[in-house]
Amino acid sequence: MAWHSGFGRLCAVFLAIFSFSFQGASSQLLVSPFGHTLVNALAGSDVTLLVSFTGADDPTVTWLMGRLPVVTWTIGSDVPPDIAEDRKKVLNIEPNGSLTFVNVTLGYTSNYTFEMTKSGLAKSVTSFTLEVFEKIQNVILAQPDFAIEGPKPFTLQYSMLQGVVQQQMWFFNDIEINSNSRYTVEERSLVIHGANRRDTGRYTVFLMNPFSRICPLIVSPPSHGTPLFICDLFIDGPEKPILEALPAQPFYLSGDTLSVSCKAEGFPLPTAKWDFGSQIPDQLNGVLNLTNVQTNQAGTYTCTLVNEQSKEKLQMNITLKVYETVRQPDVLGAVVLLYVAGGTPQAVLSFPTLDDTSSGAETFSLTFNASDNLNGKTVTCMADHPVEQNQCSVTASSPMKFLPSVRTRVSSDGKIVVTIECVSETSPEAVVSWSQGNETVAAGTTYQISSNATQLQIRDYNVSNFILQNYTCTCSNPLGSQRREVHLQGPSISDFSLFRNLNGTIVTLTWEVPPTSVVTGFDIQMKGPYLPNKSRNGTQKRGSADVFHTIQQKPGSVRSVDIFFLDPSLTYRFRVIPKALMTEGEPSEVQRIGPGEGLSRAAIAGIAAGIPCSLLFIVLLCIAIYFCFHSNKNKSRQTRYPVSRAVEKAITTQTETTPHNLLTGGLKSPPDYNRLNLTPSERSMALPTFVPPAPVRVATTV
């Protein structure tokens, strides 16, 4: 880590984050036996029928003896396996589903079937044959006193105190006898048909099972006397060893499960013992079960086969290869592109797009100077490993624009803790620095900087020490930098809303705070009728408050609250006050709920401003109507006189005669009747004598 920090401030760091994917196996339940499916066991010993499975977690297994289920269990379950009551002392199921027989007896010789099931998957089955033997002991031969020549059959028989015979062979003078017209080989007997003198000789029976061999010798008796019986024990082996790893693969991956078995021929059957260097791994009946194998378990395993009778030994080796896939790479360094892939064995690494002649193992680096042509350039890497061959890529970039985040909490000692975080996406990783004004921020009692420098914590009891402070964070790498300022402000509310349910009995208050506001808690206040609350004497508190009072207090991380037990017929008002410890900020706007919820402040202000304007408009309208009415009234009072028919006729014929020819036609102008209304002083001459005109028809036009 020191090496990284020492180089981290140099001119270029190229950070690569690589990932590798593997093709997963299809979901299929597979069961296979470990070792041979024909298992021989000596009575009184322990033996295990070994199985392995893949494709499911915690499947259900069932062991059948013939057609009879004897064990049922769900692998990994805490519930004990269901074992037949009369077999619990002998049968035991292993964690991986294998079946172990403890102190097995002859009665357990049978065919066994292993069934595994899992919901949604097809059932998988495998079978075993278990044969239990006793050592052959105390063989006794029986024959007639004399063999009489003739057609009567002559029978040689044997019996034994204990033992199970797997194979018997009869010999006449060391020549094996097979069943034919003269001989019949039966269980524990040999029948000679039509015996004669040519059948005189030595008869031998060879008895064998995997754990013992017996050969009684029968010598043809003399004419008088008792037959002579001679028994020999043959010991040989171990020989022809077989070492086998299942499943058979050239190598194994970390986390795999496998078994390694060791067997050989011989009499009695040789025993196997495994060694791994100076360690003795867990083993059962010469079989190693390696689950979740790791790379430190790779190497050479030695199997020692021993004949317990002759003490003859035989050793064989098997080498296991365990590989670790390319792990998640890491990148360190400065002015370099450093690719760490790991893996066992080590992967061969290269960057062909930058340099096709260089490569390395496990850790490989290339050095480049920071330049503009690297910004936004994609670099391809290659990893060559025995397990797989993969490629990956990374794009170098300068720090992206970012928005600092601000969080506030209260520490255990009662201080306000403000955390400012600056994170910018960049490759290689950006180096973050902090400053206040023109001074660099140093870690101490008041300021604490995280290990990766992306977070700055400010601790103080007084919120006034936070307000009006400007903090600057700078994210930079060799390809560029980004700089952002954070101006902390006091507790405040930026948005406040109210939502009620259909019945009006519950309201939800929601609010937001500015991103850089220092807030540690909120007071939820209400003005209006008291909410129902049982007092100590069992009665409900009634009445109302004309001022806001606090009904709930919430921490600074909360942004909503529910108010219950409201009366839909009453009016309530709510607001939220932000706080930084004991310092209160400006209250939020007031939200109202109740019948006739009224108009908003803007609507009321609009109405208040519109009323004077409306009154002025009405007054002006009335004045205009008055003047119009008065004007029309004066016009209607003027004297209007009737027009003579001659004038009317002249008007109607105006289109035929031009106006300047009306008087030239000998017509006289009508008299000026207005002059009749003049006062005596206004008249210039005496009024003429009035002579009434001749009666004429007149019409008045209004």
Side-chain angles (χ1 to χ4, degrees), residues 300-519:
T300 301
Y301 288 77
T302 301
C303 175
T304 303
L305 296 158
V306 180
N307 188 315
E308 297 295 342
Q309 293 291 336
S310 65
K311 304 302 180 183
E312 291 290 332
K313 294 183 180 180
L314 179 65
Q315 287 188 340
M316 294 291 292
N317 296 330
I318 186 172
T319 300
L320 299 180
K321 297 179 180 179
V322 182
Y323 292 163
E324 183 181 26
T325 57
V326 179
R327 65 178 180 266
Q328 183 72 19
D330 191 10
V331 174
L332 307 172
V335 200
V336 301
L337 171 61
L338 182 60
Y339 172 35
V340 182
T344 303
Q346 296 178 355
V348 177
L349 313 175
S350 62
F351 297 97
T353 56
L354 298 178
D355 188 348
D356 57 359
T357 61
S358 301
S359 63
E362 185 176 16
T363 302
F364 177 57
S365 63
L366 289 176
T367 303
F368 290 92
N369 292 323
S371 59
D372 293 337
N373 60 357
L374 281 178
N375 192 13
K377 183 175 182 178
T378 299
V379 177
T380 301
C381 62
M382 300 291 295
D384 191 358
H385 190 266
V387 177
E388 61 179 345
Q389 292 181 347
N390 274 325
Q391 67 178 19
C392 53
S393 61
V394 63
T395 302
S397 64
S398 60
M400 306 292 289
K401 292 183 178 180
F402 62 93
L403 182 65
S405 63
V406 178
R407 300 188 303 272
T408 307
R409 63 181 178 87
V410 179
S411 64
S412 58
D413 56 356
K415 287 185 178 181
I416 299 176
V417 180
V418 177
T419 302
I420 306 174
E421 183 176 20
C422 292
V423 178
S424 175
E425 294 184 3
T426 176
S427 178
E429 183 178 358
V431 177
V432 182
S433 60
W434 297 89
S435 61
Q436 180 185 3
N438 296 324
E439 298 181 358
T440 301
V441 174
T445 304
T446 303
Y447 301 107
Q448 293 185 3
I449 301 175
S450 63
S451 58
N452 60 0
T454 59
Q455 294 183 357
L456 171 66
Q457 284 191 353
I458 312 167
R459 298 169 175 263
D460 207 301
Y461 290 103
N462 192 350
V463 69
S464 61
N465 294 333
F466 296 94
I467 302 174
L468 303 179
Q469 298 292 334
N470 289 328
Y471 296 93
T472 302
C473 63
T474 303
C475 298
S476 59
N477 72 358
L479 300 177
S481 64
Q482 290 289 339
R483 178 188 180 95
R484 290 292 181 271
E485 291 187 358
V486 179
H487 179 77
L488 298 179
Q489 62 184 73
S492 59
I493 300 291
S494 61
D495 185 40
F496 180 49
S497 303
L498 179 148
F499 306 94
R500 64 177 180 178
N501 66 344
L502 296 177
N503 299 328
T505 58
I506 303 174
V507 297
T508 299
L509 307 179
T510 63
W511 61 89
E512 297 294 337
V513 299
T516 59
S517 179
V518 179
V519 179

Side-chain angles (χ1 to χ4, degrees), residues 51-79:
V51 296
S52 67
F53 69 92
T54 59
D57 295 328
D58 304 332
T60 299
V61 301
T62 302
W63 281 97
L64 293 89
M65 183 178 178
R67 295 184 178 181
L68 177 66
V70 291
V71 179
T72 302
W73 187 51
T74 299
I75 292 179
S77 172
D78 295 332
V79 179

Side-chain angles (χ1 to χ4, degrees), residues 48-349:
T48 301
L49 304 182
L50 295 170
V51 296
S52 67
F53 69 92
T54 59
D57 295 328
D58 304 332
T60 299
V61 301
T62 302
W63 281 97
L64 293 89
M65 183 178 178
R67 295 184 178 181
L68 177 66
V70 291
V71 179
T72 302
W73 187 51
T74 299
I75 292 179
S77 172
D78 295 332
V79 179
D82 182 14
I83 303 177
E85 192 66 30
D86 58 340
R87 304 181 188 274
K88 287 186 176 180
K89 293 183 179 181
V90 177
L91 299 181
N92 183 30
I93 193 164
E94 302 297 330
N96 69 337
S98 300
L99 184 63
T100 297
F101 299 79
V102 180
N103 196 19
V104 65
T105 61
L106 295 176
Y108 285 89
T109 296
S110 181
N111 293 324
Y112 291 85
T113 302
F114 177 76
E115 295 182 351
M116 178 172 285
T117 59
K118 182 71 174 181
S119 297
L121 299 176
K123 179 170 67 175
S124 187
V125 178
T126 190
S127 299
F128 294 85
T129 298
L130 175 63
E131 294 185 357
V132 184
F133 298 91
E134 289 180 327
K135 288 185 177 181
I136 302 172
Q137 295 181 0
N138 299 334
V139 178
I140 300 174
L141 293 173
Q143 70 176 28
D145 292 341
F146 298 97
I148 301 175
E149 188 175 11
K152 187 177 179 179
F154 179 76
T155 303
L156 299 175
Q157 294 180 329
Y158 70 87
S159 63
M160 53 189 175
L161 179 64
Q162 75 170 32
V164 177
V165 176
Q166 185 184 46
Q167 184 180 10
Q168 68 172 357
M169 292 185 294
W170 289 88
F171 296 87
F172 174 58
N173 293 332
D174 298 330
I175 299 175
E176 184 178 357
I177 299 173
N178 296 315
S179 295
N180 51 40
S181 60
R182 297 204 63 228
Y183 300 101
T184 301
V185 179
E186 297 179 348
E187 184 178 358
R188 298 193 181 189
S189 66
L190 173 65
V191 179
I192 304 173
H193 303 284
N196 54 45
R197 294 180 183 272
R198 289 176 299 180
D199 295 320
T200 302
R202 186 179 64 180
Y203 289 83
T204 306
V205 62
F206 181 81
L207 306 178
M208 183 182 66
N209 67 26
F211 304 96
S212 61
R213 296 178 184 180
I214 298 295
C215 180
L217 297 181
I218 304 174
V219 180
S220 58
S223 58
H224 298 283
T226 305
L228 176 64
F229 304 98
I230 301 175
C231 298
D232 294 332
L233 177 65
F234 296 91
I235 300 173
D236 62 359
E239 59 184 8
K240 297 180 181 180
I242 299 175
L243 274 66
E244 185 178 22
L246 295 175
Q249 297 176 185
F251 60 85
Y252 301 89
L253 297 178
S254 295
D256 284 352
T257 297
L258 67 146
S259 69
V260 187
S261 61
C262 177
K263 292 184 179 182
E265 295 181 3
F267 182 84
L269 212 63
T271 59
K273 179 183 177 182
W274 285 98
D275 296 293
F276 179 53
S278 59
Q279 305 175 15
I280 300 178
D282 295 336
Q283 51 194 288
L284 180 63
N285 299 331
V287 178
L288 289 177
N289 291 318
L290 304 178
T291 59
N292 191 25
V293 67
Q294 300 299 317
T295 55
N296 58 2
Q297 293 176 279
T300 301
Y301 288 77
T302 301
C303 175
T304 303
L305 296 158
V306 180
N307 188 315
E308 297 295 342
Q309 293 291 336
S310 65
K311 304 302 180 183
E312 291 290 332
K313 294 183 180 180
L314 179 65
Q315 287 188 340
M316 294 291 292
N317 296 330
I318 186 172
T319 300
L320 299 180
K321 297 179 180 179
V322 182
Y323 292 163
E324 183 181 26
T325 57
V326 179
R327 65 178 180 266
Q328 183 72 19
D330 191 10
V331 174
L332 307 172
V335 200
V336 301
L337 171 61
L338 182 60
Y339 172 35
V340 182
T344 303
Q346 296 178 355
V348 177
L349 313 175

